[in-house]
Amino acid sequence: MVRSEPVNPGAAPKIPRPVTLRESVFEAILELIISGGLGPGQHLAENELAEMLGVSRQPVREALQMLSGEGWVDLRPGHGAFVHAPTVEEADQLLAVRTLLETESARLAALDPTAGGTARLREICARGRAAIEADDIDAAVAANSELHALITELSGNKVLAELASQVARRVRWYHTPVARHRGHASWEEHALLIDAIEAGDQERAEQIMRDHTEHTRQSYMEQRAQSPDEPAPAPQRRRRPRSLSAS
Amino acid sequence: MVRSEPVNPGAAPKIPRPVTLRESVFEAILELIISGGLGPGQHLAENELAEMLGVSRQPVREALQMLSGEGWVDLRPGHGAFVHAPTVEEADQLLAVRTLLETESARLAALDPTAGGTARLREICARGRAAIEADDIDAAVAANSELHALITELSGNKVLAELASQVARRVRWYHTPVARHRGHASWEEHALLIDAIEAGDQERAEQIMRDHTEHTRQSYMEQRAQSPDEPAPAPQRRRRPRSLSAS
DNA sequence: TCGCTGTATACTGTAGGCAGTCGACGACAA
DNA sequence: TTGTCGTCGACTGCCTACAGTATACAGCGA
């Protein structure tokens, strides 16, 4: 009667596992986009997705709307959903916004270092370094995301944290390959940042975060400049694109 | 054959009029929320909305999902949609984020004042003053929104503009009554801000915008402190709330 | 050969309906 | 009187089906 949910086993109230189909579908499609299984500009036919995932079109539609809300797909009325194809300009702007949001987060986090998050920050930082040493890019990227997410949380501003997390997810999609580029330097900066937060030095925390995210941004833009065609610059195809099965 | 769309009559490519039902429903519900027809915490039964608007439940569902994505309603799986009830803390945080986003927008707008938006800014500013003189609060609030939206546009960062516009819409919902409070002073500040942008003085533009939005925020918080019960501090009601017809 | 028009196909947008589940209410027992 | 259990009502989540429309292609005429 009373829902089979075990009322949170342990102490992990975060990450509310999807209970509705639309949420599962949302995550499935998002995973496909991030992993590259669905390329930018690709048409997402509801029928195919529904069939592939073994559900009806309804939850697929709703998942697509959610994805559209977060900027992952573009919804053209009467035409359907297309994987969002970020232009170089947009990626740059997104990274700039990330800099803005996370810089403020770092400042706010330093405002009240007694919140006790620095220990967790250091733990994540250690994991990140270890991942780099082990040449485990995926783990390093994950740790990076986790670190930045925790800092936004420690800012104490939930609205800010929510916005930053959305932006960060998209950024992560864009610049995953960058992590390969400047792994060690990045984690050195993280360590300094944590020091500043722990010391309650707002200005320093702000400055380090700004420099850090700007480094990442420049690194991305340089890499992108070297291989300008790789991330598919918005094909804008007129003819009906090949759909899922063709990929 | 070739869609009846008249290919943009005139020169108003903005404001894409809703072509799908879900968009119309989205705007209808949003209007109800902003206007106060639907109070915070109120349960939105899909059936009633569908009947009221003369459509089926499907477009209503999709509109509710869109509203959820922008933070207007809370979607509790298995329970339905509820008008979001912002806490004092959340409103404060939202206003802080707005300060952050718009301050940066102002700085970027001042970075390239040749974009030629200042004339339009002055025009809107004049309208706002006139509205205040005429004691037309609604028009003043509308002009205020328009002005801030244009500044974010002039920043040249579309991602930033998009985020700021979402935040601004919610802020507008929260603090409409504030406009009554400090009308004249607000438009004086706007004029100074436009001067700074036109002069290309980033720091000044940034500072004025920061002060301006912080004033608004403090004004809101003070007003809220005086009447703490009026905006319904998240009822969190256990019993089934009265639905639409009872309002 | 080129452009236009009519038809066919595939997909979206919407409607209606069914099953599952949550919350409320009343009855019964301690 | 209080706590527990069973039943009822209502609503959500999902599925299926239909109508409308844009696109692609073939046939026709110039």
Side-chain angles (χ1 to χ4, degrees), chain A residues 98-100 102-104 106-107 189 193 202-217, chain B residues 104 107 206:
Chain A
R98 182 181 85 131
T99 296
L100 182 66
E102 303 216 347
T103 298
E104 178 71 358
R107 188 182 71 78
E189 290 164 8
L193 176 59
Q202 295 179 51
E203 286 190 28
R204 193 148 58 92
E206 198 175 340
Q207 193 57 48
I208 294 174
M209 181 63 103
R210 193 192 319 275
D211 292 345
H212 171 65
T213 51
E214 281 300 300
H215 281 161
T216 306
R217 173 162 158 233
Chain B
E104 178 70 358
R107 187 183 70 80
E206 197 175 340

Side-chain angles (χ1 to χ4, degrees), chain A residues 20-22 55-59 79 239-240:
Chain A
T20 59
L21 265 188
R22 66 163 173 269
V55 298
S56 80
R57 274 179 53 212
Q58 176 89 354
H79 293 253
R239 296 183 63 86
R240 186 173 303 177

Side-chain angles (χ1 to χ4, degrees), chain B residues 1 19-22 54-59 62 76 78-79 238-240:
Chain B
M1 296 280 167
V19 289
T20 59
L21 267 188
R22 66 164 173 270
V55 298
S56 80
R57 271 179 55 212
Q58 177 85 357
E62 297 186 355
R76 295 197 298 162
H79 295 254
R238 288 277 112 211
R239 296 183 62 86
R240 186 171 302 178

